[in-house]
Amino acid sequence: MTVREVALEAYRESLPVLALSAVGGLFAGVVLGGMDAELQDVAGLLVLVPALLATRGNVYGSLGARLGSALHQGLIDPRFSFDDDRINAAVAAALANGVLISGVAAVMAVALLALVGRPSAPLATLVAIALIAGFVSGLLLTIAVVSVVFVGYRRGLNPDTLAGPVVTTTGDVVGVATLLGATRLVLALGGG
C-alpha cells in the first residue's frame, strides 16, 4: 500500500467515529451545564470533574489498546468469554484501576482545595461520589470498549483506530452522567 492509500484508509475508519465523538462531547457539556444545583451543593465537585473524565480516558483507553494488541497478536479471539483469563484480567485491572483512581482523585481534590483555602464538601462525600461514579462508569465503559474493539475487529477495522475516540466520547458522556447520578444519590442519602 502507498502512503496515500494508508492515509485514506485511516481517515475512512476514523472520521465517522471522530464526528460522533464531537457530538458526544457536546452532549456531555450539556449534561454538565445542567448540573448547576449539584455543583453548588457539593463544594469541590467541579474540581473533580476534569480529573475523573481524564482518568476514564486513560484507564479505559489502555484497556482498548491492550485488547487491540492482543487481537493483533492472536492472543485472544474477538469474542467475549468469561472463560478467557486474558480478557478477564484486562477487564478486572481496568475496573480496579478506574475505581481506585477515582477515590484518589477525590482525596487529592479535597487536599488541593484545603491547600489553596477554598471550601470543600466533606472528604467522605466527595470520595463516595467519586467511587460510585467510577464503578458505574467503569462497568459501562468496559462494555462499550470490549464491544467496539471486538465488533470492529471482526468487521475488518483496526481496533486501535476505534478505541481512542470511542473511549473519549463514551467516557465523557458516561462520566458526566454517572457523576450527576452519583452526586444526586449521595445527596439524597444525606451526604453534603
Side-chain angles (χ1 to χ4, degrees):
M1 290 182 89
T2 67
V3 173
R4 181 170 191 224
E5 290 170 337
V6 171
L8 287 173
E9 180 68 17
Y11 283 119
R12 183 189 68 78
E13 289 180 0
S14 64
L15 280 179
V17 177
L18 290 173
L20 287 174
S21 179
V23 171
L26 291 171
F27 179 75
V30 169
V31 172
L32 183 61
M35 290 179 61
D36 290 340
E38 290 79 9
L39 292 170
Q40 288 178 352
D41 291 343
V42 182
L45 184 61
L46 187 58
V47 172
L48 201 52
V49 171
L52 291 181
L53 294 183
T55 58
R56 299 294 159 262
N58 293 334
V59 169
Y60 297 97
S62 294
L63 173 62
R66 186 171 291 133
L67 293 175
S69 294
L71 286 168
H72 289 309
Q73 295 172 6
L75 299 174
I76 61 173
D77 291 322
R79 297 194 187 331
F80 183 78
S81 169
F82 287 107
D83 296 330
D84 191 321
D85 290 338
R86 291 176 196 263
I87 296 172
N88 292 339
V91 166
L95 283 169
N97 287 336
V99 172
L100 178 65
I101 199 64
S102 295
V104 169
V107 171
M108 291 175 66
V110 171
L112 179 64
L113 289 167
L115 185 68
V116 297
R118 299 292 310 259
S120 171
L123 177 64
T125 298
L126 284 178
V127 168
I129 290 168
L131 292 177
I132 293 168
F135 180 72
V136 174
S137 67
L139 288 176
L140 296 172
L141 282 168
T142 297
I143 292 167
V145 169
V146 171
S147 299
V148 166
V149 167
F150 286 174
V151 170
Y153 186 82
R154 286 195 307 257
R155 291 187 178 175
L157 300 174
N158 184 350
D160 298 327
T161 304
L162 298 173
V166 168
V167 169
T168 301
T169 302
T170 310
D172 288 350
V173 173
V174 168
V176 171
T178 57
L179 188 63
L180 175 61
T183 302
R184 288 183 176 173
L185 176 65
V186 168
L187 289 174
L189 294 174

